Amino acid sequence: MKRRLLISVLSLFLLTGCQLASDGPEEGQLVGVYFTTDVVSIPGTELEVDNISSAGSISLTEGQPGGRLYAQELNDETGDIYYDFPGLNGVAFYQIPVVGEDGQVRSIQENNQAIQERHLSTAIEDGEETSTVKGVLYAPTWGEQKCLFANLIYQTEDGKVYLEATPDAFDCASMLEEGAYVGYTWSSTTMVETSEGTKTSGLVFEYGYHGKNPVKKVVFTQMTADHQPISTGEYPVDQMPDSFEVDPDAAYILAESHCINGQGVSYVDRILLDRNDQDDRTFTTYVQEIPGILSRRTTTILWEEVGE
């Protein structure tokens, strides 16, 4: 696949008015952010010559931690491209332009359940097209204190994708309460060469850290139409099933999420899932697959036919 990107301008600003100091490398264009809850330490790839012995042998010392880590370009089960950073435990958020052999430009997006409320919009002004990518990360309001590190993702002129580690955290989950939100913005301008000529486009990333009370377990109680319980199933939040089969005689499900608020106090959040409501075909909760970051987990509700 043929890809060319010509670099123009890179700028960085924050909605909160706090500056995150980081200048993009000349050979790379900003295309995303990789979130981690620990400092990323990338072993240097360059080797330094320490000593050359009289016999001609040399001893080498590995470079200092830091620098960049290149992504692997992979294909999922449907054949779509995605980018993975081997050895890292985090969440990718990117919009990577790719020019195909037919000269058409398309965008590659991340595929994960941690980036919520993802939205892409495009505006054209003075001949320049600007795409704005918005996304939200949910952070647990209670538990082990975790800070979020935003490691910038770049793409080189020949299409390679890499991240640069940052030692500076931009927010900590312990600072957030339920519903609290902190927003940030990164922006860049890119010149993309296509079969139709050189195209100037801007890319804006808007993302936020949103406090959410964590769920410890979920209890499903199947109920008859006259409000009698049929059966109860209890699931730790990290063991929620992909699908849940409902008894044919159940008219609705009482779904109870056992939560912990920002002060560590337990409470129960209850909702009803109704057999006759087309919107009640799924149940969504959030789990810490990565400590400090909540990922969405969806259970499909399988309503069986009512018995005669």
Side-chain angles (χ1 to χ4, degrees), residues 42-304:
I42 304 171
T45 55
E46 296 183 358
L47 298 178
E48 301 174 354
V49 177
D50 281 347
N51 180 54
I52 301 178
S53 70
S54 58
S57 62
I58 60 176
S59 60
L60 301 177
T61 301
E62 192 172 351
Q64 296 297 314
R68 64 179 63 170
L69 176 67
Y70 283 88
Q72 294 179 343
E73 183 180 295
L74 303 173
N75 296 92
D76 62 19
E77 61 276 4
T78 64
D80 292 334
I81 295 173
Y82 70 96
Y83 294 90
D84 180 61
F85 293 92
L88 288 191
N89 190 25
V91 173
F93 178 41
Y94 54 71
Q95 186 87 7
I96 300 177
V98 173
V99 182
E101 294 180 354
D102 58 359
Q104 297 298 311
V105 180
R106 65 189 182 99
S107 294
I108 305 298
Q109 301 175 1
E110 76 288 339
N111 182 17
N112 62 60
Q113 293 298 314
I115 302 295
Q116 305 299 311
E117 303 170 34
R118 198 184 203 285
H119 179 71
L120 173 65
S121 60
T122 302
I124 299 177
E125 184 176 354
D126 296 330
E128 180 176 322
E129 182 178 291
T130 300
S131 296
T132 300
V133 188
K134 297 182 179 180
V136 173
L137 283 173
Y138 284 126
T141 59
W142 183 88
E144 182 182 355
Q145 179 178 348
K146 286 290 182 181
C147 290
L148 199 64
F149 297 85
N151 306 278
L152 299 186
I153 301 175
Y154 298 94
Q155 186 179 38
T156 62
E157 292 184 12
D158 60 358
K160 293 185 177 64
V161 175
Y162 66 91
L163 68 77
E164 289 220 334
T166 174
D168 301 319
F170 74 80
D171 205 67
C172 293
S174 61
M175 299 169 58
L176 296 179
E177 297 180 354
E178 173 83 5
Y181 179 85
V182 182
Y184 298 84
T185 300
W186 303 75
S187 68
S188 67
T189 300
T190 306
M191 294 174 60
V192 182
E193 191 170 291
T194 71
S195 58
E196 301 174 351
T198 301
K199 177 181 178 181
T200 301
S201 63
L203 181 61
V204 178
F205 280 91
E206 294 183 9
Y207 55 89
Y209 212 29
H210 196 127
K212 192 176 187 67
N213 290 341
V215 177
K216 302 299 290 184
K217 67 177 180 180
V218 174
V219 179
F220 283 159
T221 302
Q222 301 187 56
M223 307 289 290
T224 64
D226 57 356
H227 314 299
Q228 298 300 311
I230 297 175
S231 64
T232 298
E234 181 176 311
Y235 306 92
V237 70
D238 60 349
Q239 298 177 26
M240 285 294 294
D242 293 332
S243 60
F244 181 81
E245 293 187 5
V246 184
D247 189 285
D249 294 328
Y252 65 94
I253 298 172
L254 173 62
E256 299 177 311
S257 298
H258 292 248
C259 310
I260 301 178
N261 66 17
Q263 290 72 46
V265 178
S266 299
Y267 69 97
V268 179
D269 184 23
R270 297 179 175 88
I271 64 171
L272 298 182
L273 304 176
D274 193 309
R275 173 183 292 276
N276 298 317
D277 192 333
Q278 291 299 317
D279 292 333
D280 289 346
R281 296 298 185 260
T282 59
F283 177 82
T284 300
T285 189
Y286 292 84
V287 59
Q288 291 189 72
E289 295 177 347
I290 300 172
I293 299 176
L294 295 172
S295 294
R296 181 175 56 192
R297 181 163 294 182
T298 301
T299 298
T300 301
I301 307 299
L302 302 176
W303 296 97
E304 299 294 335

